[in-house]
Structures are given as C-alpha cells and as structure tokens.
C-alpha cells in the first residue's frame, strides 16, 4: 500500500457520523433531533418494571483491533455524565460501514474505567482550585496595574465574557453585581475597587485552569471492552442488544 492509499484509507475511516449511523441502524436505536455535541449519541426507550425508561447511549467506533477514543476535552463533568450512560463499541474496517464486532457496556460494566479516569483528573482539579488563591498584589500590578479605581474596560479586557449574564447557568451580570465603586446605569460606566480587580484575576485564573483540566482523546482499551463488556452478535443485533440491556437493568435498576 502506498502512502497516498494509506492516507485515503485513514480519511475514509474517519467518517465518524457514518459509523455512528450504522450502529444506530443495526441496533434499532434512535437519535434526538437537534442534539448538540455534548449530548447523547442515541437513546433507547424500554419498558422496565411497568414504566417507560429512556436510556442514553454513547457510541464509540474504531478500526478493527484498535482501542476506542473518548474524544476531545473530556473533563470531570463529562465523566460523571457518562457514569450513568450506556455504551456501544464497534469495530469497523476502512470504507466499510458494516460493524465487524459490537459490544455493549452498561453503567456497571463501565464503572471501573470511569472511576479510573476520574481519579486521573483529581490532581489537576485540585490545582485549579488552589492556584488562583495564590494571586497577590504583585500579580495584580503586572496584569492590571496598581490603581485606586478600575474601569469596566480594565476588568473586561481580562475577564471578557466570563462575567456577562449566562441565563442557561443561572448567572447574573457580574460586571454589575461586582461594581462596588460605581454601579452605573450602563455596564460600560461601572467602576471597581482593587479588591474586585483581584477577584477578577482569581476568577480568570480559575477559568483558564479549568479549561486545561481535561484530557484529550484518552483511550478505552480494547482489552477493557472485551473483558468487561458484553459482545452483541449479528445478524439479530437489535434483539441481542435489547436482551443485554434488560439483563443489565435487572442487575442494576435505573435511577428515577
């Protein structure tokens, strides 16, 4: 195989959405319209204990005999979210959207991997909480200069959108709330004390550190999947997945 052919194979294989759709189709899963990048890949509605239950799925695919990637910027919140989700792993060959092998991983089956990944992040998260408080007057002077009063332009040049209103998170306009020298009618006219300027530095430092307290495409090893997860065989992919899911729910009932 030439270098160009190898690059073509890699390019063809990296069609994640095609492999995802293939897994959804084979397993009779459904996908919610309008879901975002951080939302579930698919879901399965089942009847359990006389009531309907919607199970959220994360779908991972890889080349045959390869480990499975977790994606970019995986942090603690994502891992905690995944701890309640169901996984499907699929091996594919380049230019072929028929899965060669599939595995199902219930939350219980994925627990050991998830806990190990959370433990991997703990030291980073500790640093994100501890380091901002070490900011002192010297750092304040270097970043914002030593002033008796700081303007909105001073603070916003550092904090940027971080203090603006975020309705989805229930956060008010902190440029207004923190304006302890002058809370003007216009945010752009607000004035701030050195204490608030120091708070801005610490908030920004924590924000930047938190962005770095993620891992990039950590792997779920094929050995973990083959050891802890249940293989789903064809051609009755969907039926066999349903049976595996119901058995997992019997072993660990879903949370209300």
């Amino acid at each position: 195989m030439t270098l160009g052919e190898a690059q073509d194979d890699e390019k063809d294989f990296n069609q994640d959405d095609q492999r995802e759709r293939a897994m959804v189709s084979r397993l009779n899963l459904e996908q919610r319209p309008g879901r975002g990048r951080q939302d579930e890949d698919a879901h399965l509605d089942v009847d359990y204990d006389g009531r309907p239950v919607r199970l959220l799925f994360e779908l991972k695919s890889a080349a045959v005999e390869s480990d499975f990637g977790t994606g970019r910027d995986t942090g603690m919140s994502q891992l905690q979210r995944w701890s309640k989700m169901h996984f499907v792993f699929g091996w594919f060959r380049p230019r072929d959207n028929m899965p060669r092998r599939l595995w199902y991983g219930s939350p219980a089956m994925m627990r050991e991997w998830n806990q190990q990944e959370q433990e991997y992040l703990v030291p980073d998260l500790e640093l994100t909480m501890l380091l901002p408080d070490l900011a002192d007057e010297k750092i304040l002077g270097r970043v914002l200069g030593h002033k008796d009063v700081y303007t909105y332009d001073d603070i916003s040049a550092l904090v940027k959108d971080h203090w603006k209103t975020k309705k989805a998170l229930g956060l008010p306009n902190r440029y207004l709330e923190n304006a302890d020298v002058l809370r003007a009618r216009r945010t752009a006219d607000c004035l701030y004390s050195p204490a608030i300027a120091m708070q801005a530095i610490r908030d920004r430092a924590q924000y930047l550190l938190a962005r770095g307290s993620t891992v990039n495409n950590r792997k779920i090893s094929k050995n973990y999947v083959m050891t802890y997860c249940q293989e789903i065989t064809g051609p009755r992919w969907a039926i066999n997945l349903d049976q595996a899911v119901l058995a997992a729910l019997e072993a660990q009932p879903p949370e209300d």
Side-chain angles (χ1 to χ4, degrees):
M1 178 182 293
T2 67
L3 176 60
E5 290 172 334
Q7 290 174 336
D8 287 342
D9 277 351
E10 182 178 357
K11 180 180 178 181
D12 288 344
F13 187 79
N14 286 336
Q15 300 299 316
D16 293 335
D17 57 338
Q18 294 179 5
R19 300 197 304 275
E20 182 177 291
R21 287 196 296 270
M23 295 164 75
V24 167
S25 175
R26 296 292 183 277
L27 298 170
N28 200 26
L29 299 173
E30 297 183 52
Q31 293 184 307
R32 179 169 52 85
R35 69 191 188 284
R37 176 175 173 266
Q38 296 299 321
D39 295 328
E40 76 282 356
D41 293 327
H43 65 266
L44 179 66
D45 293 325
V46 299
D47 290 322
Y48 177 76
D49 197 23
R51 60 188 176 93
V53 176
R54 172 162 292 187
L55 306 177
L56 303 184
F57 275 77
E58 182 74 15
L59 308 180
K60 300 295 184 186
S61 60
V64 172
E65 301 294 337
S66 297
D67 297 330
F68 298 89
T70 57
R72 293 180 292 112
D73 300 331
T74 300
M76 185 63 76
S77 61
Q78 180 73 295
L79 289 168
Q80 291 171 344
R81 179 172 161 272
W82 277 346
S83 70
K84 300 178 182 178
M85 293 178 67
H86 300 250
F87 280 69
V88 172
F89 301 93
W91 272 348
F92 290 80
R93 295 190 184 280
R95 298 191 179 95
D96 186 356
N97 290 324
M98 171 67 76
R100 295 298 170 171
R101 295 180 72 176
L102 291 175
W103 291 268
Y104 162 69
S106 69
M109 295 172 186
M110 298 302 300
R111 182 177 297 123
E112 182 173 328
W113 170 81
N114 194 289
Q115 290 177 343
Q116 289 174 350
E117 291 299 297
Q118 290 194 37
E119 291 169 1
Y120 182 86
L121 284 177
V122 165
D124 294 346
L125 294 174
E126 288 291 334
L127 285 175
T128 67
M129 299 302 296
L130 295 172
L131 290 178
D133 288 340
L134 299 180
D136 56 15
E137 295 293 330
K138 183 178 180 180
I139 290 176
L140 173 62
R142 291 192 60 174
V143 176
L144 293 177
H146 290 297
K147 300 180 180 182
D148 293 329
V149 176
Y150 295 84
T151 66
Y152 167 81
D153 288 340
D154 292 330
I155 302 299
S156 64
L158 170 67
V159 181
K160 303 175 176 63
D161 290 342
H162 187 53
W163 275 10
K164 290 185 177 180
T165 304
K166 293 181 174 60
K167 292 182 179 180
L169 300 177
L171 295 176
N173 186 328
R174 283 169 287 173
Y175 283 111
L176 286 175
E177 284 208 339
N178 293 333
D180 58 342
V181 174
L182 174 63
R183 183 177 299 177
R185 293 175 64 87
R186 292 196 323 142
T187 304
D189 295 328
C190 289
L191 299 175
Y192 309 87
S193 69
I196 294 299
M198 181 66 76
Q199 179 181 331
I201 286 178
R202 289 171 176 166
D203 281 1
R204 187 63 178 175
Q206 186 171 8
Y207 169 76
L208 293 174
L209 287 165
R211 288 180 62 186
S213 61
T214 62
V215 290
N216 184 45
N217 204 22
R218 291 271 291 176
K219 301 295 184 181
I220 305 174
S221 74
K222 63 182 180 182
N223 291 332
Y224 185 95
V225 171
M226 297 172 74
T227 301
Y228 290 92
C229 299
Q230 179 175 345
E231 185 164 8
I232 304 299
T233 57
R236 291 156 41 100
W237 307 95
I239 292 175
N240 290 335
L241 175 66
D242 288 348
Q243 292 176 347
V245 167
L246 290 175
L249 293 180
E250 289 294 332
Q252 182 180 0
E255 298 179 2
D256 293 331

